[in-house]
Amino acid sequence: LSNRYNKLTPTITTTTMPKNNHGQQELQLFNPISCHIKESPRAKHVRLKVSLYDATLTVTVPLGYNRRKIPAILEEKRHWIERTRAEVLRTRKHSGEANASLLPNTLELRAINEVWHLAYLHKEQPEASVYEIADFTLELQGPITDMDAVRAGLQRWLRAKAKAHLVPWLLFLSTEKEMALAAARVRTLKSCWASCSPRKKISLSSNLLFLPPALVEYILLHELCHTVHLNHSKSFWSLMYKHLPDYKTRDAQIRAAWRFIPSWSEAPNH
């Protein structure tokens, strides 16, 4: 969910108001609106995005943007922010994903049509490690009562799995569609499904493995089109249509793709 404006402002709890009848400046106090502020070389305007996973707010601004301007728009759009956050949290609760402390028993990697069963072995050691002990069977060894350690171990395994499958997939599409890239890597991205730098280096979220193949294909082609047009201009969307005529349908579906992400992993904004 997102909202776009010509101007935006950061998380500041006060702002200077015009002078009153006594010639004094008045300060209007705001209840702070927590958010993450991100500078983007591709941003031409300020954008607000509420994560469909955990309702966090991300403010994307152009490079060099004056952050002192950010609070006014946050306050102006307070009703939208609070309403959207409440809707996300309500939907998340009803989906059964609100409890992030449960250890997963299975990992469903829809992108590559694999379901892995997960067993646990407690060991007194600093980190958790994941081993493939049989066909589609994993064993996580380590401090299984430490959810942070469990998450870290699962995400290391997931990144390795994504590197083995997503990067070749991307390279295949790059060759097939004749859109060259400079490099590809897999990361645990927190704010997006993938990204493309001005130097045509593409980063992919390991969470893409949880998505259906059609949505993964959309994300990969989206980033490859950014190697040609590093924006969302008409030319960019025309190129998307050339390579993926039903891109609008898939773009609508990707906005609700957070529901495929298990609670122990990080889900991005789109």
Side-chain angles (χ1 to χ4, degrees), residues 89-100 102 258 261-263:
L89 294 175
R90 182 170 59 251
T91 303
R92 191 69 176 169
K93 181 178 180 180
H94 291 165
S95 73
E97 293 291 329
N99 189 348
L102 298 178
W258 60 267
I261 309 303
S263 56

Side-chain angles (χ1 to χ4, degrees), residues 150-185:
V150 169
R151 273 198 199 94
L154 290 173
Q155 287 173 346
R156 281 192 295 272
W157 179 85
L158 189 67
R159 284 195 298 273
K161 194 75 173 174
K163 183 178 180 180
H165 291 273
L166 296 180
V167 172
W169 191 352
L170 178 68
L171 295 177
F172 170 79
L173 289 174
S174 171
T175 301
E176 182 185 54
K177 305 299 183 180
E178 298 182 343
M179 292 186 288
L181 67 153
R185 61 177 177 171

Side-chain angles (χ1 to χ4, degrees), residues 10-156:
T11 306
I12 302 177
T13 57
T14 64
T15 185
T16 303
M17 303 299 290
K19 294 182 179 181
N20 59 19
N21 293 334
H22 301 287
Q24 299 173 326
Q25 287 186 327
E26 296 179 337
L27 290 179
Q28 180 176 344
L29 299 180
F30 297 147
N31 293 325
I33 300 175
S34 60
C35 70
H36 302 291
I37 300 174
K38 182 175 98 172
E39 284 193 341
S40 170
R42 290 188 287 173
K44 294 183 179 180
H45 308 285
V46 177
R47 291 186 300 165
L48 298 179
K49 288 187 178 181
V50 174
S51 167
L52 291 172
Y53 174 68
D54 58 8
T56 56
L57 174 66
T58 299
V59 178
T60 303
V61 299
L63 290 177
Y65 188 83
N66 185 355
R67 298 191 179 196
R68 294 178 179 272
K69 298 180 178 181
I70 295 181
I73 293 179
L74 290 184
E75 186 63 22
E76 176 188 352
K77 305 308 295 183
R78 176 182 290 274
H79 177 70
W80 177 85
I81 295 169
E82 293 178 347
R83 186 187 69 234
T84 304
R85 279 177 162 173
E87 178 184 345
V88 168
L89 294 175
R90 182 170 59 251
T91 303
R92 191 69 176 169
K93 181 178 180 180
H94 291 165
S95 73
E97 293 291 329
N99 189 348
S101 65
L102 298 178
L103 297 176
N105 295 317
T106 60
L107 302 180
E108 186 174 357
L109 308 182
R110 297 170 184 83
I112 56 176
N113 195 29
E114 291 183 1
V115 177
W116 290 79
H117 299 278
L118 193 58
Y120 295 88
L121 177 63
H122 182 76
K123 286 187 175 181
E124 294 294 338
Q125 58 188 46
E127 295 184 344
S129 300
V130 177
Y131 301 95
E132 298 181 9
I133 60 175
D135 289 345
F136 302 108
T137 302
L138 303 173
E139 183 175 79
L140 185 145
Q141 300 178 7
I144 64 174
T145 57
D146 183 345
M147 196 58 197
D148 288 337
V150 169
R151 273 198 199 94
L154 290 173
Q155 287 173 346
R156 281 192 295 272

Side-chain angles (χ1 to χ4, degrees), residues 209-247:
L209 284 179
F210 295 116
L211 273 53
L215 298 186
V216 178
E217 183 183 39
Y218 167 81
I219 293 295
L220 299 183
L221 286 173
H222 187 112
E223 298 309 320
L224 285 173
C225 286
H226 277 317
T227 65
V228 180
H229 302 288
L230 199 61
N231 50 46
H232 289 120
S233 62
K234 289 183 179 180
S235 297
F236 169 86
W237 292 115
S238 295
L239 188 60
M240 277 294 294
Y241 179 79
K242 174 184 175 182
H243 295 300
L244 200 65
D246 68 339
Y247 80 86

